[in-house]
Amino acid sequence: MSNKSKSKNKFQVPRGMRDILPEEQLYWEKVKQVVSLSAKAFEFKKIDTPILEEKDLFVKGTGIYTDIVEKEMYNLTTKGRDKLVLRPEFTPSIVRAYLENGFSSLPHPVKLYSIGPIFRYERPQKGRYRQSYQANFEVIGEQDPVIDAQLIQLFFFICKKLGLKKLITQINSIGCSDCRPGYKKKLMNYYRNNKKDICSDCQKRLKQNPLRLLDCKNIKCINIAKEAPQIIDCLCDNCNNHFKSVLEYLDELEIPYILNSCLVRGLDYYTKTVFEIWPEEENGRQISLCGGGRYDKLIKLLGKKDVPAVGFAIGLDRIVNLIKERKIKIISKSAPLIFLVQLGDLGKKKSLKLFEELQRAGFKTASSFSKNTIKAQLQIANKMNVRFALILGQKEAIDGSIVIRDMILGSQEVVPLNKIIKEIKKRIKK
Ligand code: HAM
């Protein structure tokens, strides 16, 4: 049943959240499978962290003046008065797990990936949900710019396997604690001169989080941001060289990118490289498929040691939506090989046992014992894209035979029931 056809019920799914229905699972399974295989190919190890975390982890990690912390967290207080939140992102959780589990004594870089839900109390719209799913990748303990480029390469690798083309990387560098303060001063001077023309949110940002002035979506503010001083012109030598190298690696990989001097990302921990990857046709709309960057100071902020790191997260809901929008065919590897059609009382009885024998022989078999007509059952078999339909009716049950129908070739043949396993094996070999 589609979401549209559901009737108004007394209880409804919470606003901005949704059920992922059985017919959609095919897409989700495929995307998660490609993500996991690609993560392994790029030598990431899987880690699962709790959905609930201490609130302060994000206040400190993500940043007190970010939208996520100011407006979007789902808060709860436990009976023991602990202040917890539903995780709004993975990165601080992964850093916490890295520190808490003593990963700092492992050989570096430590490469970790996770797949799971995140929760943000945002205004719901297409592609933006209050419960969404991310595949998150972190590389901890390496400052070489090649890793920044390799993460972008990984995203394109995943998309290629899913048949997703026409993507564009938006990239910027937001400097480090040496060069950013100088840039911030310049930016604030520029915005003070334009103070009367910026929106009320930007008036606040000017005091609390000036870099975010650059990615305000208000049309007046967009025009002001276009003329603002660019951070690229203020980078120190270290950040400048790092950024140049990332771009050179992307050129080498033939990954398409555009420099976006207004890309600052909405999370406080970033240093140097930041990036988002968008579908080409959606450019300009708020629909990034993934986003990430370097966060060389977060581990020190949450722990003690100065350890550089870089990572990104993919919005799986948006990937699934894009696959559907672009009508990319996903073929399920788990589709059954055989559909067992049963007709009449005797046929049904004998099919029950045969169903088990076929499964035991290792053939993925489907059936619909509640449907009685051959037409209805063959229609289901067709939809499932099975290779063979086996038809066991009253006559066959009495004769000790069965009809084997090749759904691809359209041919059919009657064979002895006790030879059916052999007959299927013979046909698969052909
Ligand atoms: P983010 O840009 O907030 O970064 O999220 C990454 C991706 O998650 C977005 O590009 C988008 O595709 C998806 N996403 C985020 N919020 C929603 C939503 N409400 N509905 C649907 N999709 C959404 C982070 O979360 C960082 N932790 C990424 C990172 C990892 N940076 C370094 N390491």
Side-chain angles (χ1 to χ4, degrees):
M1 194 171 55
S2 75
N3 280 325
K4 276 181 201 151
S5 58
K6 69 183 175 191
S7 57
K8 197 96 177 148
N9 206 5
K10 187 173 172 199
F11 294 109
Q12 297 197 343
V13 73
R15 192 165 130 76
M17 299 188 183
R18 69 210 196 289
D19 303 312
I20 300 177
L21 302 175
E23 66 256 31
E24 293 171 274
Q25 294 295 338
L26 177 68
Y27 295 96
W28 284 87
E29 274 163 26
K30 178 72 184 181
V31 171
K32 285 183 193 169
Q33 184 201 32
V34 167
V35 165
S36 298
L37 290 175
S38 309
K40 278 190 196 121
F42 279 68
E43 294 175 289
F44 281 82
K45 296 227 162 70
K46 191 167 188 197
I47 181 166
D48 292 315
T49 56
I51 287 172
L52 288 170
E53 292 274 5
E54 257 181 71
K55 180 179 178 179
D56 281 350
L57 176 66
F58 298 99
V59 172
K60 202 163 179 192
T62 310
I64 190 160
Y65 295 124
T66 57
D67 282 354
I68 288 182
V69 170
E70 267 192 332
K71 306 179 199 160
E72 296 171 0
M73 287 205 294
Y74 282 84
N75 292 281
L76 65 100
T77 307
T78 66
K79 285 183 188 165
R81 320 262 357 122
D82 294 327
K83 289 196 182 331
L84 303 183
V85 292
L86 294 176
R87 67 174 170 224
E89 58 150 335
F90 278 91
T91 310
S93 307
I94 303 303
V95 172
R96 177 203 48 72
Y98 166 90
L99 293 167
E100 195 174 343
N101 294 291
F103 287 1
S104 53
S105 59
L106 296 177
H108 280 55
V110 175
K111 299 171 82 172
L112 300 168
Y113 85 100
S114 311
I115 298 176
I118 59 155
F119 300 84
R120 295 183 189 176
Y121 193 84
E122 295 190 87
R123 206 154 59 89
Q125 50 181 270
K126 188 164 179 266
R128 178 173 300 164
Y129 311 100
R130 289 183 175 173
Q131 175 173 342
S132 67
Y133 295 81
Q134 283 190 343
N136 185 79
F137 297 83
E138 310 292 357
V139 181
I140 301 178
E142 181 54 74
Q143 56 187 348
D144 195 318
V146 75
I147 305 294
D148 310 30
Q150 217 187 13
L151 289 177
I152 296 174
Q153 181 190 26
L154 168 58
F155 181 73
F156 277 83
F157 183 86
I158 290 170
C159 287
K160 198 169 174 195
K161 281 191 177 293
L162 290 169
L164 289 172
K165 294 176 197 150
K166 290 197 188 159
L167 308 169
I168 184 90
T169 310
Q170 299 201 12
I171 193 164
N172 193 18
S173 172
I174 55 168
C176 66
S177 51
D178 286 341
C179 53
R180 203 185 301 157
Y183 172 69
K184 264 192 194 168
K185 254 190 202 160
K186 271 192 177 178
L187 190 69
M188 284 164 83
N189 279 340
Y190 170 79
Y191 271 93
R192 276 193 200 107
N193 292 333
N194 289 283
K195 204 172 168 187
K196 55 180 187 335
D197 296 323
I198 56 178
C199 70
S200 55
D201 278 347
C202 279
Q203 306 276 355
K204 260 208 294 180
R205 288 183 188 125
L206 187 52
K207 281 190 208 134
Q208 295 170 343
N209 201 349
L211 276 193
R212 301 260 7 237
L213 287 160
L214 292 170
D215 74 352
C216 180
K217 301 297 175 282
N218 181 304
I219 196 78
K220 255 178 140 184
C221 300
I222 291 176
N223 287 330
I224 292 171
K226 274 186 195 155
E227 303 297 320
Q230 298 197 357
I231 190 157
I232 291 292
D233 301 326
C234 303
L235 294 179
C236 60
D237 284 350
N238 184 1
C239 289
N240 200 26
N241 291 337
H242 186 98
F243 193 45
K244 254 172 64 190
S245 298
V246 175
L247 300 183
E248 277 166 18
Y249 288 123
L250 293 183
D251 288 336
E252 191 61 34
L253 288 163
E254 295 179 36
I255 286 176
Y257 64 84
I258 48 172
L259 301 180
N260 179 353
S261 60
C262 290
L263 183 73
V264 288
R265 311 265 302 132
L267 312 141
D268 272 2
Y269 44 69
Y270 289 116
T271 49
K272 294 191 172 123
T273 320
V274 287
F275 63 90
E276 289 180 358
I277 300 171
W278 301 51
E280 261 177 21
E281 68 266 34
E282 299 283 354
N283 217 348
R285 268 179 53 196
Q286 271 196 320
I287 198 79
S288 58
L289 297 171
C290 78
R294 190 158 271 287
Y295 52 97
D296 290 342
K297 295 293 160 204
L298 181 62
I299 294 158
K300 180 135 192 228
L301 185 71
L302 299 179
K304 282 192 193 106
K305 271 197 194 163
D306 214 354
V307 186
V310 58
F312 78 111
I314 306 175
L316 298 183
D317 312 72
R318 294 181 184 181
I319 295 284
V320 167
N321 288 351
L322 193 62
I323 290 175
K324 286 187 190 163
E325 269 166 40
R326 290 190 179 174
K327 298 193 171 42
I328 295 167
K329 235 189 150 139
I330 299 283
I331 294 160
S332 167
K333 273 206 179 134
S334 57
L337 178 76
I338 296 167
F339 190 95
L340 183 55
V341 178
Q342 43 72 34
L343 299 164
D345 285 347
L346 203 55
K348 192 181 259 186
K349 273 184 197 148
K350 288 217 166 184
S351 293
L352 275 174
K353 206 162 160 212
L354 179 60
F355 181 79
E356 198 183 315
E357 277 168 27
L358 291 165
Q359 298 280 11
R360 233 186 292 131
F363 301 135
K364 258 192 192 151
T365 306
S367 63
S368 179
F369 283 97
S370 58
K371 297 264 184 305
N372 289 327
T373 68
I374 187 164
K375 193 175 164 204
Q377 293 181 69
L378 282 176
Q379 267 172 356
I380 303 172
N382 232 339
K383 266 196 186 164
M384 284 185 171
N385 273 329
V386 296
R387 172 76 201 277
F388 303 109
L390 303 184
I391 306 166
L392 185 52
Q394 199 78 353
K395 179 176 174 300
E396 288 79 18
I398 294 166
D399 290 355
S401 63
I402 189 162
V403 177
I404 178 164
R405 184 183 176 120
D406 190 316
M407 301 291 279
I408 297 175
L409 303 176
S411 59
Q412 67 178 45
E413 206 181 321
V414 182
V415 298
L417 183 55
N418 59 6
K419 299 237 166 69
I420 186 63
I421 308 274
K422 230 166 130 190
E423 289 290 335
I424 294 167
K425 282 186 181 161
K426 202 167 85 188
R427 282 166 174 75
I428 295 173
K429 263 195 198 149
K430 270 193 206 162

